[in-house]
Structure formats: C-alpha cells, structure tokens
Amino acid sequence: MSNYSYIVWIPLLPLAIFLVLGIFGKKYFKNTSGIIGTLALLASTVISFIAAHQYFFVDGKVNGVYQKIIAFKYTWLAFSPNVSIDMGIIIDPISIMMLVVVTFVSLMVHVFSLGYMKGEVRFATYYAFLSLFTFSMLGLVLSSNLFQVYMFWELVGVSSFLLIGYYFDKPSAVAASKKAFIVTRFADLGFLIGILILAFYSGTLDINTLIERLTAVQSTHFTSIATAGFLGVSMLTWGLTLIFIGGAGKSAMFPLHIWLPDAMEGPTPVSALIHAATMVVAGVYLVARLFPVFSMDASVLTIVTYVGAFSALLAAVIACTQTDIKRVLAYSTMSQIGYMMFALGVSKQVGENGLGFMASMFHLFTHAFFKSLLFLGAGAVIHFVHSNEMKDMGGLRKLMPITHIAFLIACLAIAGIPPFAGFFSKEEILMAAFHSNKIIYGVALFTAALTAFYMFRLYFSIFWSKESHHHNSHGEGTVSMKLPLIILACCAVGVGFIPFSHFVTADGSALETHTDMLFSIAPVTLTILAILLAAAMYKNENDKPAKAAAAFGALYKAASRKFYMDELYLFITKKIIFPLIGRPVAWVDKNIVDGLMNLLATITAKMSVLIKGLQSGKVQSYALYFFGGIAALAVLFIYLWK
Amino acid sequence: MNGIPLTHIIFLSTALFFIGMYGLFTRRNMITMLMAIELMLNSVNINFVAFNKYLYPDKLDGIFFTLFIITIAAAEAAVAIAIIINLYRSHRSIDVEDATEMKF
C-alpha cells in the first residue's frame, strides 16, 4: 500500500487561503485575492487528479476490488479507549470521485468569479468564503469519522450561510441566508441524534469500524441495535432515518427543500458551486458513505426511495412554472438530487443489484458538470442583462454565442439526449428503477420528460423567443468567464463516456453495465417529444404558454406558488409553534428560570442589608467580635464538646 | 523548684493578658493599643516559659517559641508603627475613631 498522506494538502490549501485572505485580504490583496485563491485551488485540483490517477489506475485495486484506505489518522478527542473523534482521511472510490468533482467545479467557479465578481467591494472576502467552503466540503468528503463528517457538515452549512448572505445589504438575501441556515440546522439536529444512536449501539464513531460492526448480522452490536426499539421501530431504523433527515435537509429533499430556491439570492457562481454541484449532494454522499448500513434496513431504503422520487417529481412540476431562471435551475437541482436519492434507495449492496448505487454516484458526477455549467451560463446571462427574470431576456443567441452553445449542451445533457453526459447516468438510474420498482420507474420517466420540457422552456426563453432589445455594450464577458463555460461544456459532452461502473460501485468491484438500445427508446422518445413541445411553445413569442397555464388552472397556480409550501411552513411556525410552544416556553424562561435567579439575588441583597451593620469600620469592635468568637469556641471545645 | 508554684505564674500571665485586652478595647490611641497587644504577647511568653520549666524541664520547645514570638513581635511593631505613621499622614490623627471609612 502506498502513501497517500499528501492528500491532506488538498483541503489544507484552501484553508490556508481562507485564513490569509480572511485576515489580510482587505488590506494587502484587494485586487490580487482572486488570482491567489484560484492558483491555490489549481494546486489542490492538480493534487486531487494525481491522487485519483494513483488510486484508480496504479495501486487502489487489490484483487479486482477497490480498497478503503485510511490515508491519515489523528486521534483528536478520545472519550474512552474505543470511542474517539478522529481527524482522518478515508480514501475509497466515492471520496476520490467527490474530491475530483469538488476541486474541479470549485476551480471553474473560482475562474468564473474572476470576471463575474470583478469590482466588488468585498472581493477578497468573497474569495475567502469560497476557500472556506471548498475546505469544508473537501473535509466532509474525506472524513473517516462520523463526528468529523458532522463537524465539516456544519462548516459547510456556515460557509453556505455566509455566501448566500454575501449581499448583506439586500434584505431578501439576509432572509434567505437565515432561512437556509435554520432549515438545514433543523435537519442537522436529526443527523446528530442519528449519529449518536448509531455510535451508541456500535460503540464507535469510526466509519469503517461502524460499517463493519453493523453489517455483520451475527455480531452483538447488530443484534442489539436491531432488537432495541422505540415506538415499535427498531433503533437501526430510527438512527438511519434521522441521518437521512440530516441528508435530506442539506440535499433539499421534500419537505426540507424550501431553503434551496431562496438560496439563489447568493452570487450566481456560488449557486453553481454550492447549490448545484457540491454541497447539496452532501446528503446523497452521506447516504452513499453509510450505504452498507442503509442496505441492512429495507424500510429506510423505502423511505429514501419515495422521498427522492416525490421530490424529483414535485420539483420538476414547480420548475415548469417559475419565471426566475435561477429558481428554475434550483428546482431542477432538487429534482436531479431526487433522482440520485431514489437510485440509492432502490439499490442493493452487492454485485448486479448495486446498479442503483453506481448510477446514483454516476449521476452525481455528471450532474456536477452540467449543472454548474447551467448555473455559470445563467450567471453570464444575468451579468449581461442584469436581471433574473425570463421576461427580460430573449433572443440572446446572437449576442452571446459561446454562452448559447454551452447552455444548449448543458440542457441536452440534463435532458438526457445521447451522447451527452446526462443520458448515460440517467439511463442507469432508470434501469435500476425499472428492475426494482415499476411505480418509481414511471415517476422517473415522467420526471425525465418534465425535465426536458422545463430546461428547454428556459433555453428558448433566454436565447430565442422575442428579439433582443439589449445592446451589445459590454460584450459577452471576460475570458475568465468564457473559459470555464467552454471547459465545462466539453465535460458535459465527454464525461458520460467514462466507464464509471468500473471505478465506483457499492462493493468496490467492477460492474459490467450494458446499454440496452431498446430500453433507451422510451425515455429518449419522451424527452424529444418534450423538447419539441417546449420549442413549439417558447421558441417564438406567442400566447400558447398563457393558454396552457389557463388550461391547467389550479394546478398551474399552485405550482407557481410552489404548492404553498412556504405558506404552510409560515402557518405552522407562526400559528402553531409560536403560540403553543414558543410563548409558553418563553413564559417559563422569563418567570420561572429567570425568576429563580432573581429570587436568589433578592435574598442575597436582603441578607446583606441585615448584616452589613456589623461592618462598622471600627477596629476595636472587630477585635471584640474576634475575641468573642474565640471565647465561644473555647467554651464549646472545653465544656460542651464531649 | 524554689517555692513559687505554677498557679502564681499563671495568675500573673492571665492578669497581664486581660489587662492587655482591656487596654486594646478601651484605648483609642493606636500607639497605646499597640502597647496593649505587646502586653498580651508577653503574657503568652510567660505561659510558654513557665509551662516549659514546670512540666518539661529537660526540653526547650517553649523557650524556642518565646524567642520566635519576641522576634515576630518586633517585626509586627515595626509594621504597625509604619501603618500608624501613614494613618497620621492621611488623617492627621492616630485615633482609631477617626479612621472608620472602611465600612459598608
């Protein structure tokens, strides 16, 4: 086994940049901070590519199975000889895959931001936050200890909060950042409890040991967690469900998805990095990381499947009605993550049945490229027209040729048209769903068609539709904005051809996949029909969209209002939680908890008034008390103490 | 011994102690109070020496204690007089009744 300890530099470089730019950025690197951050991240990216090459092609494989390697381990906090919080680095196919995705997309976003964020007052702060986020995300994917995962999970949440609220003088951005933080924090509570349950029964926080102990059916640990129950459900199910709630919060699964669309208040490159390619797939990654344990409990996998499928469908329906292009992309992200989730849900741990796992990871991989491309393309468009609304756009294809082509490629990729990247991964997911659950397959197929429809609605509304009234005053954008678009477009075309199943599978051994031409006919035909429909409705300006909206009536209205989820949450919090729980708790706090403290203080004050007369300032009376005391003690000890 | 019983000496030292104590409580002049304290210390010294002599004639512990007390008393007198001088400088008086600011 060779040495992988150099991997520790991949997260440490962004951390160093965060510290340098965060502390000295405003003073010394006002204009150069972007270059510094980008160069450091370039180094990280190169190292992670080297690591990926070494792992996948040189020495990661032993007897045809990719090994889990602990590259670095440091016991940070030991509670007892068995339970400790370690800072470690785990290397296995999914962590290496995520390493490549995170560093690469982050690099693209860093480069894009050089142009997009140029002239911002808090330029250095922006890059410091980006570096912090990259560090946390890399730490998260490399964590070898569940508690370490949790810490980086929170760090990721904080950096997401900071970046969403980057334009802190905009009240909507502030509200959005708070919302994202509170909703994900709420879900993280479930995650923490889940971790504690698993750790309590398995007696360890180390991921590998935990998986080992909880997957051995005969072991005492597994018996204890599977037999112990609460409310008639075994502790294993509870623990895994709670962990899944944490993952669902970060990954914007129904019903914890409400923060994601609002998170689009952040700068667009940030949305591309955090809310499309990396952070929001953390939930998927978490489930994949603990997948051997998840696969021990069919009921949790069923929950994962149905939550994922429902989120995918719901988000796709909502995405068809939104007019803010970033919100369309946000819902599309949620929908695609739903795909990844239910692909995991229908998967099994070993062999052929592990197709869903592999498909999920593959989709995560391809999605990262084409979705960040979509966001960066949207960023370029927003940069050009200074608006997020579809109605302000249209006919941009001549003014922004490169963005236009890149965006088209990304749309084709996400719609799943061969030979673009999304086709391959989506095909695997559909295949996995088809073989295990026909209902899920139906939902997935319908969602795929919807995806194609709303993506091309977006595409045609931005680049075709009415004639542009914009003047080509400041061009399409700087080179640093075009370059990432071109590179990512190449990726969106190319990454689908990677024989992914040879590298990343549930059990580490290669899996043969066969693309079945006959199987592909249904989804591809549906997708093409959806695209044609979108073209008919949105290619030229006409009244068909309005008619369609009227035809769907209530459904359209509900979907455009996001099915009243926000209103529902507001109702629950304002009308139920605040008056029934918040106020009584506040009353108890004010009157009983504070009251007790006030009572103690009052008693002390009264006592001091009573006895302060003794403190007369007269030396001789003090001496008298002293002698009196001594005499009393003498009497006590000589005559009374028998 | 030569005829003086231990009780007599203890009478003497007790008398001396309570005279000192009376002085400490009644005098307002700090120098006098200091002298009263010295009286009390000396009564203790007499006790030590007497008990040493009458009860353990072949040991010297009581005498050692006495020597220490005399030394400490000298040091204490120096400190006390320094305090008195400072008090005089700030209050223009060495009457304890005039220095009662340190109260509630």
Side-chain angles (χ1 to χ4, degrees), chain A residues 7 12 30 58 87 127 150 196 207 213 292 308-309 341 348 387 407 414-415 419 425 576 582 588 601 604 607:
Chain A
I7 285 189
L12 284 187
K30 213 161 171 41
V58 182
M87 288 289 137
Y127 269 94
Y150 184 71
L196 293 179
I207 291 177
R213 289 188 184 165
M341 277 292 182
K348 299 275 182 305
S387 164
F407 206 87
I414 195 175
S425 52
I576 297 176
V588 167
T604 314
M607 286 295 287

Side-chain angles (χ1 to χ4, degrees), chain A residues 4 7 10-11 48-49 51-52 55-56 66-71 88-103 137-144 149 207-208 285-286 288-289 357 361 364-365 500 503-505:
Chain A
Y4 282 96
I7 285 189
I10 300 174
S48 62
F49 273 107
Y55 183 76
F56 283 126
Y66 282 112
Q67 300 296 306
K68 278 187 181 170
I69 301 170
I70 299 291
I89 287 184
I90 193 173
I91 297 181
D92 67 350
I94 51 172
S95 69
I96 289 281
M97 183 272 288
M98 286 296 286
L99 204 59
V100 171
V101 168
V102 172
T103 49
M137 193 65 208
L138 291 169
L140 171 62
V141 300
L142 289 172
S143 294
S144 69
V149 172
I207 291 177
N208 281 348
Y285 178 78
L286 181 69
R289 166 63 68 220
F357 180 91
M361 290 297 109
L364 194 163
F365 184 68
F500 204 75
F503 299 126
V504 181
T505 49

Side-chain angles (χ1 to χ4, degrees), chain A residues 612 615-616 620 624 627, chain B residues 24 27-28 40 103-104:
Chain A
K612 75 180 177 185
Q615 197 117 26
S616 59
Q620 282 167 325
L624 192 59
F627 274 108
Chain B
L24 182 64
R27 298 288 125 184
R28 299 289 180 253
M40 289 157 77
K103 57 183 173 187
F104 55 85

Side-chain angles (χ1 to χ4, degrees), chain A residues 213-442:
Chain A
R213 289 188 184 165
L214 290 186
T215 50
V217 185
Q218 304 299 331
S219 72
T220 50
H221 298 291
F222 184 78
T223 340
S224 67
I225 195 171
T227 48
F230 179 64
L231 298 179
V233 179
S234 84
M235 286 321 264
L236 181 63
T237 312
W238 274 112
L240 291 178
T241 310
L242 286 167
I243 285 187
F244 174 66
I245 289 176
K250 271 278 185 289
S251 283
M253 289 291 98
F254 178 84
L256 296 168
H257 64 274
I258 48 161
W259 65 271
L260 185 60
D262 291 13
M264 297 302 137
E265 291 290 344
T268 311
V270 166
S271 310
L273 176 61
I274 301 184
H275 308 114
T278 54
M279 186 187 88
V280 287
V281 296
V284 181
Y285 178 78
L286 181 69
V287 176
R289 166 63 68 220
L290 293 174
F291 192 72
V293 185
F294 272 88
S295 67
M296 300 301 286
D297 193 323
S299 51
V300 177
L301 280 187
T302 314
I303 297 176
V304 173
T305 310
Y306 281 97
V307 168
F310 184 69
S311 305
L313 180 63
L314 180 86
V317 173
I318 297 177
C320 293
T321 59
Q322 297 299 305
T323 56
D324 179 327
I325 61 171
K326 283 182 77 182
R327 276 176 192 259
V328 174
L329 291 176
Y331 279 109
S332 133
T333 306
M334 179 183 158
S335 172
Q336 300 304 310
I337 294 168
Y339 264 96
M340 299 171 206
M341 277 292 182
F342 77 69
L344 279 178
V346 299
S347 178
K348 299 275 182 305
Q349 171 63 10
V350 283
E352 282 286 300
N353 295 325
L355 178 65
F357 180 91
M358 173 269 172
S360 172
M361 290 297 109
F362 194 15
H363 199 56
L364 194 163
F365 184 68
T366 55
H367 176 256
F369 294 108
F370 58 69
K371 186 48 68 67
S372 50
L373 174 56
L374 281 171
F375 266 105
L376 292 185
V381 170
I382 292 167
H383 192 67
F384 188 80
V385 301
H386 299 292
S387 164
N388 283 6
E389 289 295 320
M390 273 184 196
K391 63 174 174 2
D392 300 329
M393 300 166 186
L396 293 177
R397 67 186 180 283
K398 293 205 186 81
L399 295 174
M400 314 183 73
I402 293 175
T403 314
H404 169 226
I405 297 295
F407 206 87
L408 177 61
I409 290 173
C411 283
L412 289 169
I414 195 175
I417 300 293
F420 296 96
F423 164 72
F424 295 94
S425 52
K426 205 173 264 187
E427 208 67 1
E428 307 287 2
I429 289 182
L430 289 173
M431 187 89 93
F434 183 75
H435 286 308
S436 72
N437 191 333
K438 295 286 187 293
I439 305 172
I440 298 296
Y441 174 70

Side-chain angles (χ1 to χ4, degrees), chain A residues 371-594:
Chain A
K371 186 48 68 67
S372 50
L373 174 56
L374 281 171
F375 266 105
L376 292 185
V381 170
I382 292 167
H383 192 67
F384 188 80
V385 301
H386 299 292
S387 164
N388 283 6
E389 289 295 320
M390 273 184 196
K391 63 174 174 2
D392 300 329
M393 300 166 186
L396 293 177
R397 67 186 180 283
K398 293 205 186 81
L399 295 174
M400 314 183 73
I402 293 175
T403 314
H404 169 226
I405 297 295
F407 206 87
L408 177 61
I409 290 173
C411 283
L412 289 169
I414 195 175
I417 300 293
F420 296 96
F423 164 72
F424 295 94
S425 52
K426 205 173 264 187
E427 208 67 1
E428 307 287 2
I429 289 182
L430 289 173
M431 187 89 93
F434 183 75
H435 286 308
S436 72
N437 191 333
K438 295 286 187 293
I439 305 172
I440 298 296
Y441 174 70
V443 171
L445 206 56
F446 182 60
T447 310
L450 277 179
T451 308
F453 175 74
Y454 69 70
M455 284 322 296
F456 276 87
R457 166 176 177 258
L458 187 65
Y459 165 74
F460 285 120
S461 311
I462 296 176
F463 293 104
W464 296 75
S465 192
K466 57 194 174 228
E467 277 312 301
S468 172
H469 52 85
H470 291 281
H471 305 292
N472 196 355
S473 53
H474 54 349
E476 197 176 344
T478 58
V479 180
S480 67
M481 284 169 74
K482 284 181 204 154
L483 187 67
L485 291 180
I486 297 169
I487 296 174
L488 282 170
C490 296
C491 290
V493 178
V495 292
F497 292 102
I498 294 175
F500 204 75
S501 58
H502 290 241
F503 299 126
V504 181
T505 49
D507 52 1
S509 52
L511 179 69
E512 275 313 317
T513 51
H514 10 258
T515 323
D516 190 348
M517 278 302 184
L518 285 175
F519 184 80
S520 306
I521 289 176
V524 172
T525 318
L526 267 176
T527 309
I528 290 173
L529 283 177
I531 293 174
L532 291 177
L533 180 66
M537 283 170 74
Y538 298 101
K539 191 172 174 200
N540 298 306
E541 207 174 11
N542 55 39
D543 59 351
K544 281 181 210 151
K547 273 185 194 154
F552 279 109
L555 180 66
Y556 177 84
K557 194 151 173 272
S560 68
R561 300 293 305 275
K562 306 151 207 163
F563 290 106
Y564 304 102
M565 285 300 293
D566 281 327
E567 284 80 358
L568 183 67
Y569 273 94
L570 277 183
F571 177 78
I572 290 176
T573 49
K574 289 235 165 93
K575 291 269 147 58
I576 297 176
I577 294 180
F578 287 170
L580 293 186
I581 300 174
R583 297 237 167 78
V585 169
W587 186 87
V588 167
D589 182 53
K590 257 184 221 152
N591 292 292
I592 296 185
V593 178
D594 290 3

Side-chain angles (χ1 to χ4, degrees), chain B residues 21-40:
Chain B
M21 197 166 144
Y22 176 79
L24 182 64
F25 289 143
T26 50
R27 298 288 125 184
R28 299 289 180 253
N29 187 312
M30 286 189 79
I31 303 269
T32 334
M33 284 170 71
L34 184 62
M35 288 158 69
I37 291 174
E38 294 296 325
L39 273 187
M40 289 157 77

